[in-house]
Amino acid sequence: MINLGSHPQWHALFESLGYGVGYWIYRRERARAGDVLDDSGRWSVIAGAVVGGLVGSRVLGLLEQMPRVGIAWGQVLMPGGGKTIVGGLLGGWAGVELVKAARGIRSRTGDLFAVPLCVGIAVGRVGCLLAGLPDDTYGKATGLPWAVNFGDGVGRHPTQAYEIVFLALLGVLLHELGSRPHREGAVFRWFMAGYLVWRVGVEFLKPQPLVGGLDAIQWACLAGLVWLGVEWARRYEVSEYA
């Protein structure tokens, strides 16, 4: 068992680093590969992603925590706690689609964000791992040799570390995909598909309250995958993704 302890003071630092590193990689990729949008269009899309991400992260976070700690909807705008990456991704995606519809943008605009999101989330997960018990992202108790003691003497699945490894592999695959000829929007959609499927699976290792056999994040992931499937079926030929 690995004795790590809980160090919540590191969470904000690595979360900020995740945002910074992700944005730096996005800027580099945009300069290298170009952009289907001009500066005005891109910043409007980013604004939609940020606003939608904040709302989605908070709403799903509250849905996840309500059964355990009794958080009320009146706390939706209060700082601290009750945030989820899945909610942020789905909310950000919805926010972008709303902005694009309002501005008449028909291009698929997410490819430049796929690899930066992998890196940014992975860096942020380092903070989650160091934060330990207060962060509430740890896994169930286990006797595996790599179980982590976050300070209470219980060895748990380090699900944060699992996600860091997964995101590193996913980022490499998406970088390779983006370097080859591909349909516009395909890289981002493969990112979303990969991450949502991952979260459906890894949530089974976490001690979350279940509704119908799944927790709130898993239900949100399945809804996102259905949405993604409808988008793929509507926009692309099935043979192109065989």
Side-chain angles (χ1 to χ4, degrees):
M1 185 166 64
I2 302 170
N3 295 310
L4 185 62
S6 294
H7 311 280
Q9 67 272 18
W10 290 104
H11 188 276
L13 172 62
F14 279 93
E15 184 176 2
S16 299
L17 281 174
Y19 290 130
V21 172
Y23 182 68
W24 177 77
I25 293 175
Y26 154 74
R27 289 291 300 271
R28 190 185 67 174
E29 287 299 299
R30 190 181 187 218
R32 180 188 64 83
D35 198 345
V36 296
L37 298 177
D38 59 19
D39 286 345
S40 174
R42 177 54 68 181
W43 280 111
S44 67
V45 165
I46 290 175
V50 170
V51 174
L54 289 172
V55 173
S57 174
R58 195 62 167 164
V59 169
L60 184 56
L62 288 173
L63 285 173
E64 179 194 20
Q65 293 190 357
M66 275 180 182
R68 291 183 292 109
V69 297
I71 292 177
W73 283 108
Q75 295 176 263
V76 67
L77 298 178
M78 295 177 63
K83 296 183 292 184
T84 71
I85 290 174
V86 169
L89 290 174
L90 295 177
W93 187 12
V96 167
E97 293 302 322
L98 288 174
V99 167
K100 287 167 57 178
R103 295 199 53 168
I105 299 173
R106 301 185 62 85
S107 300
R108 314 310 299 170
T109 59
D111 286 349
L112 288 174
F113 292 118
V115 173
L117 280 169
C118 286
V119 177
I121 294 172
V123 172
R125 282 302 190 204
V126 176
C128 295
L129 179 65
L130 295 176
L133 296 177
D135 191 66
D136 203 28
T137 55
Y138 51 82
K140 296 177 180 178
T142 179
L144 291 170
W146 56 83
V148 172
N149 170 22
F150 290 109
D152 62 351
V154 178
R156 293 182 169 88
H157 283 286
T159 50
Q160 311 96 324
Y162 298 166
E163 185 158 319
I164 292 168
V165 173
F166 168 77
L167 287 166
L169 295 174
L170 181 61
V172 170
L173 292 174
L174 293 176
H175 177 73
E176 288 298 313
L177 175 61
S179 300
R180 301 174 182 179
H182 60 275
R183 289 292 295 269
E184 187 178 90
V187 180
F188 176 74
R189 277 158 174 73
W190 280 119
F191 161 74
M192 288 295 294
Y195 189 75
L196 294 177
V197 169
W198 160 258
R199 287 300 299 268
V200 170
V202 78
E203 289 298 306
F204 286 114
L205 297 179
K206 297 181 182 181
Q208 301 292 355
L210 305 181
V211 178
L214 303 174
D215 66 22
I217 288 178
Q218 288 172 313
W219 283 115
C221 288
L222 291 177
L225 288 168
V226 170
W227 180 11
L228 194 61
V230 170
E231 281 278 291
W232 267 341
R234 182 166 61 90
R235 292 183 178 275
Y236 306 125
E237 294 295 333
V238 174
S239 61
E240 293 183 28
Y241 291 90

